[in-house]
Amino acid sequence: MIRLSIALVTRNRPEALARCSGSVRAQSVQPFEVVVSDDSDNALAAATQRIAGQYGGRYHPGPRRGLDANRNHAARACQGTHVRTMDDDHTLPEGHLAQCLAALRTAPHSLWTTGETSFIAGR
């Protein structure tokens, strides 16, 4: 069974996190989970945690060692079978997660299903 997790990273942008999370929750197909790893300064961490929870995300304080460390931290916290990474300034187009899941059903051992373009015709 495929369970698609989203490893979402953020830092000091609660408004961007809300927009990004809204685009996830607007999808016709929902992920198994959304893990939010937050590298925010202390002044913005509480607002970020509140927004993550408002959209059903599981909040984790980030490692505060840069974007790559934060992304790895989020991915390690995921419990799904597959991980789709996401930054707080991303918004998903309609049908994106359905395309991800279709790609995974076609190639369940894939390491990467989509990037900035969609999985189309097996490519």
Side-chain angles (χ1 to χ4, degrees), residues 10-86:
T10 190
R11 182 177 187 274
N12 292 336
R13 297 192 295 199
E15 298 84 11
L17 178 63
R19 186 173 44 258
C20 172
S21 297
S23 80
V24 171
R25 294 309 178 195
Q27 297 290 301
S28 59
V29 174
Q30 290 296 297
F32 169 71
E33 66 180 345
V34 176
V35 172
V36 177
S37 183
D38 178 24
D39 264 357
S40 292
D41 297 332
N42 291 336
L44 293 171
T48 303
Q49 184 174 12
R50 185 176 63 254
I51 290 168
Q54 179 181 348
Y55 288 93
R58 196 169 73 244
Y59 180 86
H60 290 265
R64 293 188 178 175
R65 292 189 324 265
L67 180 59
D68 292 336
N70 197 18
R71 192 178 328 282
N72 290 338
H73 182 73
R76 279 191 299 275
C78 289
Q79 298 174 359
T81 59
H82 295 79
V83 177
R84 199 283 187 213
T85 61
M86 196 170 180

